[in-house]
Amino acid sequence: MVLMNKGLHRKNEQLIKAHLNLYAVLKNLEDLVSHDPDTARLVKKWDVSIAFNVLGGPKACVEFKDGCCTVGKGRCRRPPVILFFTSPAHLNRMMEGKANSIPLRGFTKLGFLKKDFTQLTDRLEYYLRPNAALLKDRHYLELNTRLTLSTAAFAVPELGRYDPIGRLAAGRAGNGAVNIKILAQGPAVHVVFRDETIQAGRGEVEQPAALMQMKDWQVANDFFNNKTDPFTAIASGDVIIKGRIPLLESLSLILDRIPHYLS
Amino acid sequence: MKTYTFNASQNFFKRAAKVIPCGIYGHMSPAPLVPATAYPFYAAKAKGSKFWDVDGNEFIDYMCAYGPMVLGYNHEKVDSAAIKQIQSANCVTAPTPLMVELAECLVDLIPRADWAFFAKNGGDVTGYALMVARAATGRKKIVMVEGGYHGVAPWAQPPGSHGTMEDDSRNIIRIGWNDTAGFERVVNENDGEVAGFIATPYHHPTFADSEMPAEGYWQTIETLCKRKGIVLIVDDVRCGFRLDLRGSHEHFGFKPDLICFSKAMGNGYPISALVGTESLKSDASKVFHTGSFWFAAAPMAAALASLEELKRINGPAIMAEKGKKLLDGMVAIAKDYGLELKVSGHPSMPYLRITNDESLMLHQDWCGECTKRGAYFTSHHNWFISTAHSDEDIQRTWDIATDALQATKKAYGF
């Protein structure tokens, strides 16, 4: 077993955090555009792709077209805008509002980046940083919950691959898909464990091996923000679990790693 | 058939959730009872094979307090012995002579035992067994079976569990069940470093079928341990006194160095024991291990009475027979509905699973429906049969199982 020195440990933590920021947090732009009318109006006419390139870290491509947003892993094909980050830590500081990206391409779009895109990311931050007063608003509660659910799902593959405890938990999960849904008509996400790989997606898969269902939006919000302990929520019937419990146990251990990286 | 409701249980749970982590924690947490809302959370009274919850619902109990109940709840002989002892001396500044009597009883009963050490829970003695093995060998590593349960000490928990650190598992090596080649490999890879091998007599993990030892498994393990100077530890906490009163190793024909007992030993009274061979007695004596309540006399009186009664009636034979009768009937009932009910493990502690639905949701719903009708089944853990389960209980259980299948049928379309 290789013992990590503290410096390397911190570097790895930054790398994992960068993966989460790009592939789980920034991924929320898709839902924000689809479910927040103000954001939908803002991006309605955008036709642009933005590459996020992190030196020694992950890459992502954020594309806006026909009022939709997609956040994909990897490089963009000929993006008009490239945002460069000198390290995973640089990206993470930018996501916390403590640093700026370095535009490598798209100088003609500087105005767009500074004004329009910043408006979008501010909107995302607004919905991802709840407080008690904001959560009283039904639209805010639902969108914050939707984004939190999505963040959780898309964080799982990253943590299962890179986080030491996540890796251990993923290794014990076995094969199968878990559907996570907010009842009755709320959103759903799924996480598929198969042969030591993990994939996440929106919606439900057919014939899942396990289910995790939240009674309503408030229960889901409390659950994913660690305001209730899962055992109590399950015992009281607020959260319903079914199917292959070891899959859910592994998933739960991985989800519990999120606060270690994202506040 | 009328189904139960659990309003009082839920109300107690709401109160509990405010003042107790998880409301109910550990292995009695309702969370793995799927769906949790089909189960009672709090017991009001118990007698024989049954318990009654705080809503007044009656259950034929196939979990037997997760193993400690073996002769039936509130067993007259066992309770009388414990109460009598409480009235004279229980938790006192010195142990009572009952401690000597109980040690002599175990040494007489278990051919491999030359001495006995007492504590409260299984985890107390599995931990002690590891310390004795390390003291005796001067080595640090322990080999255990992946998925094996030996209590909740950090070393025994799966790596990555909350509250454990990487260092807790540093000297624990996990191998597969029945994997003698894997054992030989890790022993050779860690030559001169392995202090002990700990495993249950047969593999009874949660959420998975039980697995019996392959032919020659234990004998190969025993030979390898002897050759390499490794202490062979059997965790007989769950199976002990259910398969064979002389220890489950006698049932499977091998000779361990240390054996851990608890659950069925005192029919519900808190007591555990580590027994061992003469060659380890001196090392065991040097390991300081103790607890405030480990010398309490009432559980020792209960254990003596319990073991005596199990011997008198040949408890293991009764449990095996009742278990076989119950399970044969259940399998046939499931078959009538076109379902395969797979039974694994020993008949006195069977693990059941309806195989037609790999996700286990059908099995979970059926267990929940049975519980709501008065047969307490869990879907994720082996069940326990006691000597108190009667033929009437078994017939009632079959009726419940049938009605629950009928109720589940529509949802799953079988």
Side-chain angles (χ1 to χ4, degrees):
Chain A
M1 190 175 290
V2 179
L3 282 174
M4 244 187 268
N5 67 40
K6 272 188 181 172
L8 187 60
H9 183 67
R10 267 197 292 274
K11 197 175 164 189
N12 269 8
E13 291 220 342
Q14 289 294 336
L15 180 63
I16 296 167
K17 192 171 175 178
H19 274 263
L20 295 178
N21 271 325
L22 276 195
Y23 301 145
V25 178
L26 207 63
K27 184 84 178 165
N28 281 314
L29 288 175
E30 295 176 358
D31 269 340
L32 187 68
V33 167
S34 299
H35 296 282
D36 179 41
D38 290 346
T39 309
R41 269 190 296 278
L42 177 70
V43 308
K44 193 176 173 184
K45 292 182 179 166
W46 290 9
D47 185 356
V48 65
S49 55
I50 306 168
F52 283 70
N53 289 353
V54 181
L55 186 65
K59 293 176 174 54
C61 181
V62 182
E63 289 180 283
F64 298 91
K65 197 172 178 61
D66 301 328
C68 289
C69 172
T70 53
V71 181
K73 283 187 174 185
R75 293 176 184 279
C76 288
R77 199 180 294 167
R78 296 188 181 181
V81 182
I82 297 176
L83 301 181
F84 177 74
F85 301 88
T86 57
S87 67
H90 180 196
L91 172 83
N92 298 333
R93 285 198 302 277
M94 190 279 288
M95 293 296 283
E96 288 163 10
K98 294 174 184 166
N100 292 313
S101 58
I102 302 167
L104 283 191
R105 188 188 293 168
F107 296 104
T108 57
K109 302 269 185 187
L110 281 178
F112 163 79
L113 284 172
K114 209 168 176 183
K115 190 177 163 226
D116 302 324
F117 191 66
T118 302
Q119 247 183 294
L120 177 70
T121 52
D122 285 351
R123 196 81 187 143
L124 180 63
E125 191 181 354
Y126 168 75
Y127 279 110
L128 285 175
R129 294 199 185 277
N131 60 43
L134 287 170
L135 285 169
K136 282 181 185 161
D137 176 75
R138 183 76 189 171
H139 170 71
Y140 186 94
L141 172 78
E142 291 191 4
L143 193 45
N144 171 259
T145 309
R146 186 184 286 277
L147 301 184
T148 310
L149 175 70
S150 171
T151 305
F154 287 101
V156 173
E158 308 309 316
L159 292 166
R161 186 171 176 191
Y162 297 107
D163 175 68
I165 291 173
R167 270 205 306 267
L168 286 170
R172 290 197 293 266
N175 288 345
V178 182
N179 282 344
I180 309 170
K181 184 174 170 56
I182 299 172
L183 299 174
Q185 302 299 324
V189 293
H190 62 267
V191 179
V192 183
F193 295 82
R194 190 157 307 282
D195 301 332
E196 295 179 20
T197 66
I198 309 175
Q199 286 186 319
R202 292 198 178 84
E204 296 174 85
V205 297
E206 282 183 23
Q207 297 187 318
L211 303 175
M212 188 189 286
Q213 298 170 326
M214 322 290 152
K215 197 172 75 178
D216 55 36
W217 290 96
Q218 187 63 59
V219 164
N221 196 278
D222 289 347
F223 186 82
F224 283 110
N225 286 298
N226 291 318
K227 289 180 191 165
T228 179
D229 83 80
F231 293 95
T232 303
I234 292 164
S236 61
D238 283 347
V239 174
I240 299 156
I241 58 167
K242 265 187 167 190
R244 299 242 305 276
I245 306 300
L247 258 179
L248 293 168
E249 279 187 334
S250 290
L251 177 65
S252 176
L253 261 178
I254 297 171
L255 291 174
D256 286 342
R257 296 299 295 161
I258 296 174
H260 186 73
Y261 299 98
L262 303 176
S263 55
Chain B
M1 206 175 266
K2 189 173 169 281
T3 55
Y4 296 162
T5 55
F6 305 106
N7 297 330
S9 265
Q10 284 287 344
N11 286 337
F12 274 112
F13 188 79
K14 278 180 196 154
R15 284 170 57 187
K18 290 178 187 164
V19 291
I20 301 170
C22 305
I24 304 170
Y25 45 81
H27 67 293
M28 292 216 181
S29 164
L33 300 170
V34 181
T37 47
Y39 287 82
F41 294 170
Y42 294 95
K45 62 176 183 173
K47 182 71 189 164
S49 60
K50 300 188 180 79
F51 80 92
W52 287 260
D53 70 1
V54 287
D55 285 277
N57 302 313
E58 177 185 302
F59 299 91
I60 304 167
D61 188 357
Y62 287 102
M63 289 312 292
C64 298
Y66 284 81
M69 189 276 270
V70 66
L71 289 165
Y73 292 115
N74 292 358
H75 190 271
E76 205 179 321
K77 286 182 183 169
V78 178
D79 285 1
S80 300
I83 290 164
K84 192 176 160 202
Q85 187 57 42
I86 284 172
Q87 285 165 347
S88 52
N90 183 30
C91 191
V92 192
T93 305
T96 70
L98 277 181
M99 187 172 174
V100 186
E101 282 182 41
L102 184 56
E104 287 170 349
C105 167
L106 290 180
V107 167
D108 286 346
L109 187 63
I110 302 156
R112 284 299 284 172
D114 294 316
W115 52 267
F117 173 101
F118 302 109
K120 288 286 110 183
N121 286 287
D124 298 333
V125 287
T126 54
Y128 180 52
L130 262 58
M131 292 174 81
V132 173
R134 284 170 168 158
T137 59
R139 304 172 185 171
K140 59 188 176 186
K141 294 188 190 287
I142 300 291
V143 181
M144 64 177 278
V145 172
E146 183 74 49
Y149 182 81
H150 304 295
V152 291
W155 69 265
Q157 298 215 20
S161 299
H162 288 293
T164 66
M165 304 303 286
E166 202 181 349
D167 282 357
D168 295 320
S169 300
R170 196 174 294 286
N171 290 313
I172 303 294
I173 303 168
R174 288 172 164 81
I175 60 170
W177 172 254
N178 270 335
D179 185 5
T180 49
F183 183 57
E184 190 162 12
R185 180 177 47 77
V186 300
V187 165
N188 288 333
E189 283 171 0
N190 299 274
D191 199 22
E193 288 192 291
V194 178
F197 174 72
I198 184 168
T200 51
Y202 72 87
H203 195 43
H204 42 65
T206 47
F207 303 112
D209 295 346
S210 294
E211 290 180 66
M212 286 297 172
E215 200 175 328
Y217 169 74
W218 274 118
Q219 291 69 26
T220 306
I221 294 283
E222 185 188 329
T223 304
L224 281 166
C225 284
K226 279 208 173 80
R227 193 192 306 156
K228 295 283 187 177
I230 295 166
V231 177
L232 177 51
I233 307 162
V234 170
D235 178 345
D236 213 1
V237 169
R238 207 182 297 183
C239 300
F241 309 118
R242 278 197 146 85
L243 271 59
D244 191 313
L245 287 178
R246 301 166 301 163
S248 304
H249 58 281
E250 295 290 338
H251 183 80
F252 292 114
F254 68 102
K255 292 182 168 62
D257 302 303
L258 297 171
I259 311 161
C260 311
F261 293 105
S262 184
K263 290 192 184 288
M265 192 173 157
N267 197 47
Y269 288 83
I271 190 156
S272 60
L274 180 73
V275 304
T277 55
E278 184 62 37
S279 62
L280 290 169
K281 188 157 165 265
S282 172
D283 296 298
S285 70
K286 291 172 190 165
V287 175
F288 185 73
H289 203 50
T290 190
S292 298
F293 305 98
W294 290 11
F295 302 89
M300 292 181 183
L304 277 166
S306 188
L307 293 170
E308 183 58 40
E309 184 65 3
L310 281 169
K311 229 183 328 182
R312 188 187 71 78
I313 63 174
N314 192 3
I318 294 173
M319 287 183 272
E321 184 202 324
K322 303 256 186 202
K324 186 174 182 320
K325 181 176 177 180
L326 171 78
L327 298 164
D328 286 349
M330 301 271 281
V331 169
I333 289 164
K335 198 176 174 190
D336 286 345
Y337 281 84
L339 300 174
E340 186 201 26
L341 184 63
K342 185 179 179 186
V343 178
S344 57
H346 192 270
S348 65
M349 10 184 312
Y351 183 88
L352 283 82
R353 176 171 64 93
I354 295 174
T355 63
N356 305 66
D357 170 23
E358 273 188 31
S359 76
L360 301 178
M361 292 183 205
L362 163 58
H363 181 66
Q364 289 163 346
D365 279 348
W366 173 66
C367 286
E369 290 297 329
C370 286
T371 302
K372 284 198 291 185
R373 287 162 172 77
Y376 192 105
F377 293 169
T378 61
S379 55
H380 64 286
H381 193 287
N382 72 272
W383 302 354
F384 295 91
I385 314 295
S386 76
T387 61
H389 284 91
S390 65
D391 287 345
E392 291 74 31
D393 289 335
I394 291 171
Q395 181 58 56
R396 172 79 182 146
T397 305
W398 289 339
D399 294 344
I400 287 171
T402 306
D403 198 60
L405 279 175
Q406 195 65 34
T408 323
K409 188 177 173 180
K410 199 180 275 178
Y412 289 90
F414 54 85

